[in-house]
Amino acid sequence: MTTEHALPLRALAALLAYPEAETQAAIDEIGAVLRDSRLLTGNDKDRLYPLLRRLAEDELIDLQEAYVSLFDRGRRTSLHLFEHLLGESRDRGAAMVDLMQTYERAGLLMRDGELPDFLPALLEYCSCIDGDGVQDCIADCAHILRPLGEAVMTHRQDYAAVFECVLHIGRQKGLDWTCKPDIEAEDFDADWQEQPAFSPPVNTNTQAVPIEFVARRTNTKEERHG
């Protein structure tokens, strides 16, 4: 794949990853890659600036606390894409395996404890395939990325800019920047509470779904994945 897609996608993946000292030290380089990208508009780059500045200047512990609060404590802003589609259904396990195998065929191996539906991992994969494949992949999950980015926007507009950039690289419609914060805050405790010890029986004839980011009618309550 050409550098035109690879470097911006890797830079955006780094911005959505859990903040580490190494990432903070590389913010100037990450920012330069994104500023030089012809795939991003001037508005895209302007919207990324507050996040780049905050990641460069704030204390690392504060960045990490803000990240956990935003992405790890609510279903609507989870970066694990299958959580938005499959919840705890057995289809999710099959979809995870299929996605992992897709990565392995591209020569990518997941780090221990990391799930393949984690958005930064998907962006890393996209950085290793050709331009048409990138657009197909982003188009396939745009209906997840857009509402996810808009949910993030109601909490932190600077992180929402990353979702806007991903959608534009995939030649997809961007976010609705008129979104307003929800009147009622999300009930994090209810959202992530433990499931009952005994659940209703499941249909043992359920078949695994193919690895596609296709919307479902309903979602069940989901686990937190650190």
Side-chain angles (χ1 to χ4, degrees), residues 72-194:
D72 289 351
R73 292 182 181 165
R75 176 176 57 192
R76 293 176 62 243
T77 55
S78 172
L79 292 177
H80 290 93
L81 301 185
F82 288 151
E83 289 189 358
H84 300 274
L85 297 177
L86 302 175
E88 295 177 349
S89 75
R90 61 181 58 196
D91 288 343
R92 184 178 181 184
M96 289 283 196
V97 171
D98 286 346
L99 187 54
M100 183 80 76
Q101 292 173 347
T102 298
Y103 292 169
E104 290 174 354
R105 287 193 293 270
L108 300 177
L109 296 177
M110 301 293 297
R111 290 180 294 188
D112 289 343
E114 191 168 284
L115 298 175
D117 66 336
F118 187 49
L119 180 54
L122 182 68
L123 296 179
E124 287 282 356
Y125 164 72
C126 286
S127 76
C128 298
I129 59 179
D130 62 33
D132 289 341
V134 170
Q135 291 174 20
D136 289 344
C137 186
I138 294 176
D140 194 37
C141 60
H143 67 290
I144 306 172
L145 298 178
R146 194 172 297 109
L148 173 54
E150 289 169 358
V152 167
M153 186 191 306
T154 65
H155 299 282
R156 293 209 69 100
Q157 284 205 352
D158 53 3
Y159 265 117
V162 182
F163 295 84
E164 177 93 338
C165 291
V166 172
L167 288 165
H168 284 173
I169 288 177
R171 297 185 179 177
Q172 298 297 305
K173 177 183 175 183
L175 307 181
D176 177 4
W177 289 89
T178 66
C179 288
K180 302 297 183 182
D182 293 338
I183 296 175
E184 296 183 4
E186 185 170 5
D187 187 345
F188 294 131
D189 291 337
D191 202 28
W192 298 100
Q193 66 185 350
E194 294 292 333

Side-chain angles (χ1 to χ4, degrees), residues 12-27:
L12 294 171
L15 293 181
L16 284 180
Y18 181 74
E20 301 283 4
E22 293 82 1
T23 306
Q24 193 170 42
I27 285 298

